[in-house]
Amino acid sequence: MAQNIYDDDEFFEAYSRLPRSVNGLDGAPEWPTLVEMLPDLDGTHVADLGCGYGWFARWAMSAGAASVLGIDLSEKMLTHAASRTSDDEIVYQRQDLEHLELHTDHFDVVYSSLTLHYIVDLDGLFREVHGSLRPGGGLVFSVEHPLFTAPSNPSFVDLPDGPRVWPVDHYLLEGPRTTDWLAPGVVKQHRTIATYVTLLRRSGFELTAMVEWGPSDAQIAEHPSWTVERDRPPFLLVSARRD
Amino acid sequence: MAQNIYDDDEFFEAYSRLPRSVNGLDGAPEWPTLVEMLPDLDGTHVADLGCGYGWFARWAMSAGAASVLGIDLSEKMLTHAASRTSDDEIVYQRQDLEHLELHTDHFDVVYSSLTLHYIVDLDGLFREVHGSLRPGGGLVFSVEHPLFTAPSNPSFVDLPDGPRVWPVDHYLLEGPRTTDWLAPGVVKQHRTIATYVTLLRRSGFELTAMVEWGPSDAQIAEHPSWTVERDRPPFLLVSARRD
């Protein structure tokens, strides 16, 4: 069973105060880039892996999707998400993404935002997603960037008489990383960019786009402190297509 | 005209003493991985961009290639390379890779080792290479890893009371980086991994494999000091196919 930090009271309280929880997609700085990587959703069947509060599910319906299946492990998230919609074409389902089961040849788009870096068996998940897509269907996802997850001490440091730097070590040492993000002892899975590419290829996907996300000039003008995110991108965005 | 450091006497002397210059492909620790990314060369027409001493050209002929075109900007490298073979099916040619011109629909394999990070117009080069390949033909290349080229001070540092780290900044700030590698003022072009992927896709390539190279356990047993290369991979290896 996967770690279920989102049902931890302390974590959930802190998470619920994040800009992306309060303001939804507009509170996620990478959203304008991620949305450009999505195909036209008109008439499509969509799945959202790690759907959280359901912001994306509701947006996808407003963008013309025929149906959205939102999957999450957290009872709390699913309860919140369900309370926010009365649309019969949005279905929420509790599943452990480590043992995901989806209808085959069914979806046009599978989406996942900042969830897959928690998954140990990503190979298995990519295979299940590939089988669940119709030919020509697409997977679009974001994860924490490998540069973000790699270090043993993931915080910027000011070098003596030097610049502020992101201290990279263990980049090629893949596996669990335990951090104190919102609550102590959160476990993420560090993988290199090449491993994401390799696992996608091995599952039968063709890679169609990759973005190492950093803030735009307009975002930096509004939030000058975000400039450091250009020193070390926080998010990796990927789209892939079932051959 | 591209920078031509290899015809600088000081640089050339230092370069000629590197293990990969003295021992050829066996002196390049990433070669065992790179060779696995190459297709069967039997009967193929091959181009090598940045052919240097011609080690790869001679190896490709021994692996069954029908012909090899070795291209380099350096007169010195080409003179050395030509002096080391009498094979009529190896042709050396002086060209500036910034303005590369190749026969169209001709090559089965285009190879390039640790050269493309010098190229400013990589978009133009990828388009020329794509047009020069037969349908189904492949491009296999290595470059310095973007983690290696990004920092303003590209050297490991020991943090006070902390680990030895690779100090990353400016990762998303693409463009020239001036270093003092073998000679002062060597200019390389820093690009992110995503930009390599994007330029390949834009030129019509399908990405077929990516490796962020680090030493194997056997290599570390033989060279314990190479362990740090797992903290920050030195090379990015990529293969792509003409659709």
Side-chain angles (χ1 to χ4, degrees):
Chain A
M1 173 105 168
Q3 185 187 36
N4 184 9
I5 47 172
Y6 290 81
D7 278 346
D8 173 282
D9 286 335
E10 182 187 352
F11 184 95
F12 189 79
E13 281 305 310
Y15 182 85
S16 69
R17 291 190 297 271
L18 290 179
R20 66 180 65 224
S21 303
V22 176
N23 302 316
L25 302 172
D26 292 336
E30 76 282 13
W31 170 248
T33 308
L34 199 54
V35 72
E36 295 280 326
M37 298 168 75
L38 286 165
D40 181 2
L41 294 188
D42 192 46
T44 58
H45 297 281
V46 178
D48 180 5
L49 309 181
C51 62
Y53 287 121
W55 289 105
F56 177 78
R58 297 190 296 280
W59 175 85
M61 292 305 295
S62 76
S67 72
V68 182
L69 173 64
I71 294 177
D72 212 290
L73 182 59
S74 160
E75 299 272 18
K76 289 191 182 187
M77 302 299 273
L78 290 168
T79 301
H80 270 251
S83 73
R84 292 186 182 194
T85 186
S86 58
D87 192 326
D88 289 341
E89 299 307 325
I90 300 182
V91 172
Y92 291 109
Q93 195 177 79
R94 184 164 192 255
Q95 277 205 56
D96 182 350
L97 295 180
E98 294 288 0
H99 308 285
L100 181 65
E101 292 187 12
L102 297 170
H103 287 298
T104 56
D105 294 323
H106 179 74
F107 295 104
D108 303 288
V109 178
V110 174
Y111 171 87
S112 181
S113 169
L114 299 182
T115 300
L116 300 186
H117 52 260
Y118 292 119
I119 305 302
V120 175
D121 184 15
L122 190 60
D123 204 8
L125 184 139
F126 279 164
R127 285 177 201 274
E128 183 67 18
V129 169
H130 186 268
S132 81
L133 286 167
R134 294 175 177 168
L139 166 64
V140 179
F141 69 89
S142 63
V143 287
E144 288 189 0
H145 193 286
L147 272 174
F148 191 88
T149 54
S152 51
N153 293 308
S155 302
F156 282 98
V157 291
D158 291 303
L159 293 183
D161 305 317
R164 167 171 289 198
V165 301
W166 182 255
V168 172
D169 59 357
H170 302 171
Y171 181 83
L172 292 179
L173 185 67
E174 301 186 295
R177 297 290 193 274
T178 303
T179 66
D180 298 337
W181 180 65
L182 302 185
V186 175
V187 179
K188 298 168 186 172
Q189 301 297 323
H190 168 65
R191 291 182 174 88
T192 66
I193 293 180
T195 291
Y196 283 106
V197 171
T198 302
L199 294 181
L200 286 168
R201 294 279 313 166
R202 194 190 291 170
S203 303
F205 282 105
E206 177 181 349
L207 184 71
T208 49
M210 177 187 288
V211 175
E212 298 177 82
W213 185 86
S216 66
D217 290 347
Q219 288 174 320
I220 285 180
E222 197 174 341
H223 308 278
S225 67
W226 291 5
T227 304
V228 292
E229 307 293 331
R230 289 181 169 174
D231 286 319
R232 177 274 298 128
F235 307 125
L236 177 69
L237 318 183
V238 175
S239 72
R241 185 169 54 213
R242 175 175 172 174
D243 283 342
Chain B
M1 172 102 168
Q3 184 186 36
N4 184 10
I5 47 172
Y6 289 81
D7 278 346
D8 173 281
D9 287 336
E10 183 187 352
F11 184 95
F12 189 80
E13 280 305 310
Y15 182 86
S16 69
R17 289 190 298 271
L18 291 179
R20 66 181 65 223
S21 302
V22 176
N23 302 316
L25 303 173
D26 293 335
E30 76 282 13
W31 169 248
T33 308
L34 200 54
V35 72
E36 295 280 326
M37 298 168 74
L38 286 165
D40 180 2
L41 294 188
D42 192 46
T44 58
H45 297 281
V46 177
D48 180 5
L49 309 181
C51 63
Y53 287 121
W55 289 104
F56 176 78
R58 296 191 296 280
W59 175 84
M61 292 305 294
S62 76
S67 72
V68 181
L69 173 64
I71 294 177
D72 212 291
L73 182 59
S74 160
E75 299 271 19
K76 290 191 180 187
M77 303 297 274
L78 290 168
T79 301
H80 271 249
S83 74
R84 291 186 183 194
T85 186
S86 58
D87 191 326
D88 288 341
E89 299 307 325
I90 299 181
V91 172
Y92 291 109
Q93 195 177 80
R94 184 164 192 254
Q95 276 205 56
D96 182 349
L97 295 181
E98 295 287 1
H99 309 283
L100 181 64
E101 292 187 11
L102 296 171
H103 288 297
T104 55
D105 294 323
H106 179 75
F107 294 104
D108 302 288
V109 179
V110 174
Y111 172 87
S112 181
S113 169
L114 298 182
T115 299
L116 301 186
H117 52 261
Y118 293 118
I119 305 303
V120 175
D121 183 15
L122 190 59
D123 204 8
L125 183 139
F126 279 164
R127 285 175 201 275
E128 183 67 16
V129 169
H130 186 269
S132 81
L133 286 166
R134 294 176 176 168
L139 166 64
V140 178
F141 69 88
S142 64
V143 287
E144 289 189 0
H145 193 286
L147 272 174
F148 192 87
T149 54
S152 50
N153 291 310
S155 302
F156 282 98
V157 291
D158 291 303
L159 294 183
D161 305 318
R164 168 171 288 197
V165 301
W166 183 255
V168 172
D169 59 357
H170 302 170
Y171 182 83
L172 292 179
L173 185 69
E174 300 186 297
R177 297 290 192 277
T178 302
T179 65
D180 297 336
W181 180 65
L182 302 186
V186 175
V187 179
K188 298 168 185 172
Q189 301 297 323
H190 168 65
R191 292 182 173 88
T192 66
I193 293 180
T195 291
Y196 282 106
V197 171
T198 302
L199 294 181
L200 286 168
R201 293 279 313 166
R202 194 190 291 169
S203 303
F205 282 105
E206 177 180 350
L207 184 72
T208 49
M210 176 188 289
V211 174
E212 297 177 83
W213 185 88
S216 67
D217 291 347
Q219 288 174 320
I220 285 180
E222 196 173 342
H223 308 278
S225 67
W226 291 5
T227 305
V228 293
E229 306 294 330
R230 290 181 169 175
D231 286 318
R232 177 274 297 128
F235 307 124
L236 176 69
L237 318 182
V238 175
S239 73
R241 186 170 52 214
R242 175 175 172 175
D243 284 343

